[in-house]
Amino acid sequence: MKKFLVLSVCAAFFCVLQGAPVKENGIKWLPDVKSAQKILGKEKKSILLFFTAPGWCGPCRALEKGPIASPEFAAIVKKNAAVKMDYSNRNAVSENARAALQKYKIEGFPSLLVLDANGREKGRIVGNLPAGSFFAELKKLIEK
C-alpha cells in the first residue's frame, strides 16, 4: 500500500513537472505558449504569459493573492488563454520554462506578458501593481 501511495504521489508530481494544465481560482493555467495557441486556434485573442516565483518572491505572492486571484482576472482569462510558469523551485523548472525565460528576456518576477495568438509580445507588466493599475494596464495591452 505504501508503494502505491508513493508511486501515485510521484506520478502526480511528474505530471505537474511535465506541464499538465492546472486549475487555480477558476483559471485553467496552460503549461506553455504552444498549448495556448492550439486552444485559441485562429481566434484573435491574447495569451497571458505569467512568470512567477511565489516560493521565494514576495511581490509574486502579493500579485497572486491579489489581482491574479480575483474574479476580474478569471473573467479576462476566460476570454483569452493563460500560461503560468512557476520558478519557485529552481531545481524543478522544466526546459520549456527555461527557454521561455530566455526567449522573452525576463529580467524580474513577477512578469505578465500579453502575447498575440502567434506568440508575439504586445506588452508586459512587471512587478506587483495595485489592482486598479494592474487591470487598467492589462486591458490596454489586450486591446492593443
Side-chain angles (χ1 to χ4, degrees):
M1 183 67 176
K2 285 183 183 179
K3 287 182 183 180
F4 177 74
L5 181 60
V6 170
L7 288 174
S8 297
V9 169
C10 288
F13 185 68
F14 181 75
C15 287
V16 169
L17 288 179
Q18 291 302 309
V22 177
K23 195 162 188 172
E24 296 173 348
N25 298 325
I27 298 168
K28 182 179 178 185
W29 291 102
L30 300 167
D32 54 44
V33 173
K34 287 184 181 183
S35 299
Q37 288 172 317
K38 285 179 188 175
I39 287 175
L40 292 179
K42 296 184 187 233
E43 294 184 58
K44 301 282 186 198
K45 295 183 178 182
S46 295
I47 299 168
L48 309 178
L49 177 55
F50 184 41
F51 292 89
T52 186
W56 53 266
C57 170
C60 296
R61 279 191 300 274
L63 188 63
E64 286 197 37
K65 289 180 180 177
I68 299 292
S70 73
E72 188 174 356
F73 186 75
I76 291 170
V77 170
K78 283 184 182 181
K79 297 176 184 173
N80 297 282
V83 176
K84 184 176 184 180
M85 304 249 171
D86 189 339
Y87 295 85
S88 291
N89 183 348
R90 294 176 182 154
N91 297 322
V93 175
S94 70
E95 280 304 313
N96 214 12
R98 289 181 203 279
L101 197 67
Q102 291 179 342
K103 177 180 179 178
Y104 294 104
K105 297 175 176 75
I106 301 303
E107 295 179 2
F109 294 99
S111 291
L112 179 73
L113 279 61
V114 178
L115 312 175
D116 67 16
N118 295 316
R120 290 185 296 261
E121 185 175 341
K122 295 165 78 173
R124 64 178 65 195
I125 300 170
V126 179
N128 177 27
L129 299 177
S133 300
F134 175 83
F135 287 115
E137 185 65 21
L138 181 57
K139 289 173 184 175
K140 184 172 74 174
L141 293 173
I142 288 172
E143 292 171 3
K144 193 173 184 183

